Amino acid sequence: MPHHKKQITAADYYEGVFPKAKGVCQLWNWHELLYAGLLEADPDTAFFRPRGRRLTYQYRGRQQIYQPDFVVTSTAGVTRLITIKLAEEITRKAWPWLSCITAHCRASHEQFEPTAREAIDANACLAFNWIQISRYIVALDQATIDLEVAITRAHRALTQGAHTYDSLRDALPRSDDTTHAAIPFVLLHRGLARCPALATDPLHGGMTLWPA
């Protein structure tokens, strides 16, 4: 029977969004997820990306592709290629792709760094805490973007003749919690709020964030 390569699906990896990775990361196992958390916690890490290199090498007469588990750039501008292995595998170093990655690092002035799974496990608590914090930061950033979009939308509706809370809400192209949260800010900022419940000091103070 012919051998069919397994199709990778979303159920086969972890997905996360980390500020230092600047986007969605597909992490192929639990140790990669924890290591991403450790990179977020490391003040010397400026940027990282899973499998950010594609290196080719020959093995048993065939060309193969090797991708390090992580490519990490430090705040000092040093780039490291990380592979995550069991400690006993690191001491053996019998990898067919080792000469390929060594030659690449020599030519590109990058560093190769095998990392033991056991070391990641020892710092699992710190890593998991930073994973949770990263998720909160990403959610907070997205909420801020959503609010800014809603405020822009509300300002546009005002220029088209909507001058009260109800008419502004009705003029918006879609209704959601973020859009409704933006309406009092916009009305106050334009000096159009007549409702005493909206005219509070905290809201007035917030208006300085968005110029007319």
Side-chain angles (χ1 to χ4, degrees):
M1 297 242 347
H3 173 71
H4 295 285
K5 186 175 181 181
K6 182 179 182 295
Q7 182 70 30
I8 300 296
T9 67
D12 296 313
Y13 55 75
Y14 295 89
E15 190 170 85
V17 182
F18 294 91
K20 289 184 180 180
K22 296 180 176 62
V24 177
C25 297
Q26 292 179 351
L27 305 158
W28 288 359
N29 56 58
W30 177 246
H31 285 95
E32 284 192 5
L33 180 65
L34 289 179
Y35 192 73
L38 292 177
L39 291 173
E40 282 291 333
D42 181 12
D44 293 330
T45 297
F47 174 78
F48 70 88
R49 199 71 192 159
R51 286 161 293 281
R53 296 282 188 279
R54 288 176 63 88
L55 308 177
T56 59
Y57 66 98
Q58 293 291 324
Y59 181 64
R60 294 181 177 176
R62 300 181 63 182
Q63 182 170 286
Q64 306 285 341
I65 294 176
Y66 172 73
Q67 291 184 280
D69 295 322
F70 287 89
V71 176
V72 182
T73 302
S74 71
T75 53
V78 177
T79 298
R80 295 174 295 142
L81 307 186
I82 308 295
T83 186
I84 298 173
K85 299 288 183 183
L86 292 170
E88 62 180 21
E89 293 180 355
I90 292 176
T91 56
R92 270 187 276 148
K93 293 186 178 179
W95 306 312
W97 42 261
L98 182 58
S99 58
C100 133
I101 197 170
T102 302
H104 168 84
C105 289
R106 188 185 305 113
S108 303
H109 303 288
E110 297 178 343
Q111 298 177 1
F112 174 56
E113 185 176 304
T115 299
R117 289 184 181 182
E118 291 84 348
I120 297 174
D121 289 334
N123 293 282
C125 183
L126 172 64
F128 190 73
N129 286 342
W130 271 93
I131 290 168
Q132 298 300 94
I133 291 171
S134 295
R135 286 173 176 167
Y136 172 77
I137 291 173
V138 169
L140 188 62
D141 287 346
Q142 186 58 51
T144 301
I145 293 171
D146 291 343
L147 184 57
E148 290 174 348
V149 169
I151 287 172
T152 300
R153 187 184 300 130
H155 272 294
R156 188 180 300 116
L158 279 174
T159 63
Q160 296 172 352
H163 294 300
T164 67
Y165 186 100
D166 289 338
S167 64
L168 181 56
R169 182 187 59 194
D170 293 340
L172 294 174
R174 65 187 181 90
S175 176
D176 55 41
D177 292 340
T178 303
T179 296
H180 286 177
I183 292 174
F185 285 89
V186 175
L187 290 176
L188 282 169
H189 187 244
R190 291 294 183 90
L192 299 171
R194 296 293 179 265
C195 176
L198 297 179
T200 59
D201 289 338
L203 286 178
H204 276 299
M207 289 308 93
T208 59
L209 296 176
W210 295 283

